Amino acid sequence: MITNPRTPVKWINYIGSLDFGGYIDHTGGALLCSQDPALNRITKYLTQTPSSEMKGETLYLRIKTDEGEKLFSPFFVPTLDAYDLFEAHVGLGYTRYISEFDGLRCEILVFVPLGEHIELRLVRITNQRDQG
């Protein structure tokens, strides 16, 4: 489990199978492949980039506040927010993220179902603030 997203280099995990899958890093960046990852990349990804650099897809959330609105991502990049809580759980064939920012808790599970050619991102958002 990674609790500080500001690592010197990205931690990556392979999800899926050799038929379809790819890499996902602790900051939410991803590379999808059809068969051999070296030759059949669907999306571009460079593993040698610093953890603050954006490569791949992301999710943005807009939070209404008394001062206006804030924009943040439950993944570390591209917003580079200072989270109240950050966890990236790297498992065999999945990566799970938990991040909390300004009273909003996000839990995201990323995986490729066995025998499928899709990446799933299950997202749960919980408002932990006193106001709506």
Side-chain angles (χ1 to χ4, degrees), residues 14 20 25 31 48 52 59 63 76 78 88-89 94 109 118-119 128 131:
Y14 192 84
F20 181 86
D25 67 44
L31 160 86
Q48 295 85 4
S52 61
L59 172 68
I63 304 171
F76 178 59
H89 300 255
Y94 72 91
L109 177 64
I118 57 172
E119 174 198 70
Q128 297 179 323
Q131 60 191 18

Side-chain angles (χ1 to χ4, degrees), residues 8 16 31 34-35 45 57 67 77 98 110 114-115 119 121 123-124 127 129-130:
L31 160 86
S34 176
Q35 298 174 344
Y45 180 85
E57 57 205 68
E67 297 83 35
V77 289
I98 300 172
V110 183
L114 225 49
E119 174 198 70
R121 291 185 176 224
V123 179
R124 178 185 301 194
N127 184 358
R129 299 189 299 173
D130 294 336

Side-chain angles (χ1 to χ4, degrees), residues 60-72 81 101-102 104 129 131-132:
Y60 292 102
L61 300 172
R62 187 173 33 204
I63 304 171
K64 290 185 180 181
T65 66
D66 293 336
E67 297 83 35
E69 294 181 343
K70 291 182 186 177
L71 187 68
F72 99 101
D81 290 314
F101 180 80
D102 198 27
L104 212 60
R129 299 189 299 173
Q131 60 191 18

Side-chain angles (χ1 to χ4, degrees), residues 23-71:
Y23 303 111
I24 186 161
D25 67 44
H26 78 282
T27 68
L31 160 86
L32 291 177
C33 310
S34 176
Q35 298 174 344
D36 185 350
L39 304 173
N40 299 308
R41 294 179 178 189
I42 297 171
T43 56
K44 184 177 180 180
Y45 180 85
L46 300 171
T47 58
Q48 295 85 4
T49 59
S51 62
S52 61
E53 188 171 325
M54 171 63 174
K55 294 289 182 199
E57 57 205 68
T58 194
L59 172 68
Y60 292 102
L61 300 172
R62 187 173 33 204
I63 304 171
K64 290 185 180 181
T65 66
D66 293 336
E67 297 83 35
E69 294 181 343
K70 291 182 186 177
L71 187 68

